[in-house]
Every structure is written in C-alpha cells, then in structure tokens.
C-alpha cells in the first residue's frame, strides 16, 4: 500500500541553522503517528513542509501519493490541518467561518459541524474574536475534522484545551483511525502521544532520535512521585524504599512531616503499599516530561548528548 506520507532526506535550513535534518519518515495509511520533541526540535517545520507552506532545502516528500508543491488545492482538500499558531478571522461568527472553510475543503456531511462543535463544547454563534484561545483552538479542530479528510495533520492540537476537551479530542482521533483516516500529530506532551498514537518518532534538533511503535519505546513506565508523610522516621523509611525494585532518585527531606520524592520505573504497587502504612498527608504521581523520558530511552549520558545536541 502507498504510504500516506513518506519523506526521504527531507531537510530545511535557515541560514546556518538546520531546522530539519535529513528526515526519513514513513507513515502507513490508517495509523496515528505521533511526532514528539522539545521546543525547537523541528516538528512545526516538518509539518509545514508536508503541507507546502514552506519548501524543503533538499530531500523529498510524498503526501497521499503526491509531491506537496504539485498537489495544489485537490491535495489540500484531502488533508485536514491544524497549524501550531492558529490565526482565525475574528470579525465573523464561528458558524460563518466554518461555512467559509467548508467551501474550500469540499463537502461536509450535514450536521457534521454541529456534532463536532457540540462534542468539543464551542458556541458557533459567537464572534470568533470574543472566543478564548481554547475555544478558537476548538474551531480549528472542527475545520480540520469536518470534511473527514484522508489525512489529518495536527500541530500541537490540544494546546489551550482543558483536560475534558483533550479527552474528547483523543476520542475523535481514535474514531478517525477507525474510519481509515491517517493522523499525524505533533506534541511535546507525552501522555497525549501515548494515548493516541500507534507509532512515534522522537525528534530532537531536527533529527529522529528514536522511532517505533509507542509500546516499544516504553515511555509509559516511568513516574515521578512526591509524597508528604506523617509519623515516620526518615532513616527507616529510606531503608525500606531502597529495597523496592525500580525506585530511584530517592530524596527525603525531614521537617514537620517527611517529604519524599523519587522516580518509579515499572510497577508502582510496592511503593503504594509501603507508603500506605504511614499517614499520607499528600501524594502526587506525575508523568515524566519529555526530557526525562529521552534520558531514560538513551541512558543518562547518551540522553544528555541527545538533548543537548552534542
Ligand atoms: P515548538 O514546539 O517550539 O514549536 P518545533 O519542534 O515545532 O518547536 P520548529 O518550530 O520546527 O520547532 O523550529 C525548529 C528550529 O528551526 C528552531 O530552532 C527554530 O528557531 C528554527 N526556525 C523555525 N522557523 C524559522 C524561520 N522562519 N527562520 C529561522 N529559523 C527558524
């Protein structure tokens, strides 16, 4: 089957700075592909080249079997796009704006716009300029999904959305995949990629530093935990914690209560059972940020090199 997207040595330079460096990507149709990387990694630049908003310095891209700068409006109609920095005409109502986009994008099924707007919770009768950033972003999502394009290219699509709306959005992505649509999603939020994507490429300084099925990257097993405990002697707690498998970076601070922070790699249950024997005043379990996961992927020394581009 022809890939939905294929790039070969795709490169974009700005003066002496290489924003995207010799990128080889293959995205199979009907899959959700996540592009993750820290700020400045080259995600937006890559997506813009695929949409022919900017032209590559060298290398090639094929999108839905076409070269982006030869595809013209016919190719654009087959793609739904949410840009990273969404700018919308502000002096019209949401409904008018979407009707205008529908004229360009091609047929939109009756009721599709209202269904999507209801799901995301955006009021289409309001003037666009009176909407909050998050509500504008919802309009951006509606315009990308409404004509059921073969390919969705979404640049940081959930920025500014609250968690409930983010969940709804992930549902929309899963449905798109079930319809046979292909989704390319960029994010610096790991959890989003983990929940939505089949395949992932980790981008850093314009290069892919890791790629594969989401599960194979094992990004999901690491957690940062912080706890405040009462009625516990720090030394004996430390002894117990050090015996737990997969627990590292243990810090204990003694004060009125004992404050613990640590990293759990793997099963969290033994730690929870240990803490449960004390009075737990506070507990926070957090996903690692991208940097920590990259460090984990590569080991700390190589990970540092990857992150700092050495
Ligand atoms: P972010 O999440 O911060 O948007 P990103 O992964 O999308 O990051 P890009 O916006 O693609 O990163 O930027 C990649 C690199 O290219 C950055 O170093 C950026 O400064 C540089 N860059 C992007 N656009 C331009 C431009 N028009 N002129 C010069 N440099 C640019």
């Amino acid at each position: 089957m022809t890939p939905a997207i294929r790039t070969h040595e795709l490169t974009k330079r700005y003066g002496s700075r290489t924003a995207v460096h010799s990128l080889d990507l293959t995205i199979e149709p009907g899959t959700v592909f996540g592009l993750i990387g820290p700020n400045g990694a080259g995600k937006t630049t890559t997506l813009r080249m695929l949409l022919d908003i900017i032209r590559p310095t060298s290398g090639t891209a094929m999108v839905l079997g076409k070269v982006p700068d030869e595809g013209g409006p016919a190719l654009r109609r087959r793609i739904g796009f949410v840009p990273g920095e969404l700018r919308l005409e502000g002096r019209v109502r949401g409904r008018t704006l979407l009707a205008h986009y529908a004229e360009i994008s091609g047929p939109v099924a009756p009721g599709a716009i209202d269904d999507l707007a209801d799901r995301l919770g955006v009021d289409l009768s309001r003037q666009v300029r009176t909407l909050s950033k998050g509500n504008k972003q919802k309009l951006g999502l509606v315009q990308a999904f409404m004509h059921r394009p073969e390919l969705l290219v979404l640049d940081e699509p959930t920025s500014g959305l609250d968690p409930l709306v983010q969940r709804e959005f992930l549902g929309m992505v899963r449905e798109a995949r079930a319809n046979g649509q292909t989704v390319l999603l960029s994010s610096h939020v790991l959890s989003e990629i983990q929940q939505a994507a089949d395949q992932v490429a980790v981008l850093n300084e314009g290069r892919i530093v890791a790629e594969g099925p989401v599960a194979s990257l094992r990004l999901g097993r690491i957690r940062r935990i912080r706890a405040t405990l009462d009625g516990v002697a720090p030394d004996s707690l430390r002894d117990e914690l050090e015996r737990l498998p997969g627990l590292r970076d243990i810090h204990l601070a003694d004060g009125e209560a004992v404050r613990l922070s640590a990293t759990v790699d793997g099963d969290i249950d033994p730690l929870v059972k240990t803490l449960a024997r004390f009075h737990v005043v506070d507990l926070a379990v957090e996903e690692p940020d991208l940097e920590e996961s990259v460090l984990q992927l590569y080991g700390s020394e190589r990970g540092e090199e990857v992150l700092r581009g050495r």
Side-chain angles (χ1 to χ4, degrees):
M1 218 184 316
T2 316
I5 293 175
R6 169 163 268 167
T7 70
H8 179 62
E9 297 183 358
L10 192 67
T11 299
K12 181 71 184 177
R13 276 192 286 273
Y14 292 104
S16 61
R17 174 184 288 272
T18 305
V20 173
H21 195 105
S22 210
L23 198 71
D24 291 323
L25 271 185
T26 302
I27 303 180
E28 297 300 337
T31 60
V32 179
F33 194 99
L35 201 57
I36 53 175
N39 290 336
K43 305 180 295 292
T44 298
T45 305
T46 302
L47 301 188
R48 285 183 174 165
M49 284 191 280
L50 297 176
L51 291 188
D52 193 37
I53 297 168
I54 54 173
R55 298 266 158 91
T57 311
S58 61
T60 56
M62 294 289 278
V63 176
L64 299 174
K66 309 271 183 217
V67 179
D69 65 344
E70 293 171 4
L75 178 59
R76 283 303 304 270
R77 275 196 284 276
R78 298 167 66 196
I79 305 172
F81 177 51
V82 176
E85 280 175 29
L86 186 65
R87 288 208 190 86
L88 299 172
E89 167 62 47
R91 285 164 300 178
V92 291
R93 296 182 196 287
R95 187 177 301 287
T96 314
L97 184 73
L98 291 171
H100 167 71
Y101 281 123
E103 276 174 27
I104 303 167
S105 70
V108 173
I113 291 179
D114 284 299
D115 283 352
L116 287 166
D118 281 351
R119 280 182 81 167
L120 295 170
V122 55
D123 181 354
L124 298 180
S125 66
R126 284 181 54 178
Q127 290 261 326
V128 174
R129 66 181 159 81
T130 68
L131 295 175
S132 66
K133 179 174 184 291
N135 280 322
K136 285 184 186 140
Q137 188 69 11
K138 293 176 193 174
L139 285 184
L141 288 173
V142 175
Q143 69 74 34
F145 279 78
M146 66 186 180
H147 58 301
R148 281 212 182 189
E150 283 165 69
L151 172 65
L152 285 150
V153 178
L154 311 172
D155 194 0
E156 304 266 355
T158 59
S159 66
L161 300 184
D162 66 48
L164 276 180
V165 184
Q166 286 182 18
R167 210 159 64 190
E168 197 59 46
F169 163 76
L170 291 176
M172 284 161 52
V173 168
R174 285 192 201 101
E175 285 166 31
R177 177 180 48 194
N179 293 334
Q181 295 164 272
T182 308
V183 184
L184 170 57
L185 174 73
S186 92
S187 180
H188 62 275
V189 184
L190 263 182
S191 58
E192 189 165 282
I193 297 287
Q194 279 170 326
Q195 289 172 58
D198 306 303
Q199 300 280 323
V200 56
V202 182
L203 209 60
N204 187 59
E205 306 233 330
R207 295 171 198 263
I208 293 179
V209 294
E211 192 183 4
V214 168
S216 78
L217 293 179
R218 296 199 320 119
L219 298 172
R221 293 168 52 82
I222 309 157
R223 295 285 181 272
R224 292 284 308 157
I225 76 112
R226 280 181 288 118
T228 309
L229 306 163
D230 241 355
V232 50
D235 288 344
S236 65
L237 179 62
R238 177 181 294 281
D239 287 346
E240 288 200 44
L241 294 175
E242 283 177 351
R243 280 198 290 271
L244 296 180
L247 196 69
R248 43 189 180 76
D249 308 330
I250 300 167
H251 292 286
L252 283 166
D254 203 2
E256 268 179 38
V258 170
R259 288 220 297 273
L260 160 72
S261 71
T263 302
V264 189
D265 184 357
D267 191 2
I268 199 168
D269 187 62
L271 174 67
V272 172
K273 297 272 161 57
T274 304
L275 298 183
R277 303 212 311 274
F278 307 102
H279 179 214
V280 181
V281 181
D282 197 7
L283 177 66
V285 182
E286 292 162 357
E287 294 192 314
D289 63 18
L290 187 71
E291 293 218 355
E292 280 177 275
S293 298
V294 169
L295 290 176
Q296 185 68 20
L297 268 172
Y298 288 92
S300 56
E301 210 167 292
R302 173 86 182 93
E304 281 289 339
E305 277 176 37
V306 166
L307 285 170
R308 314 291 158 230
R310 291 203 298 258

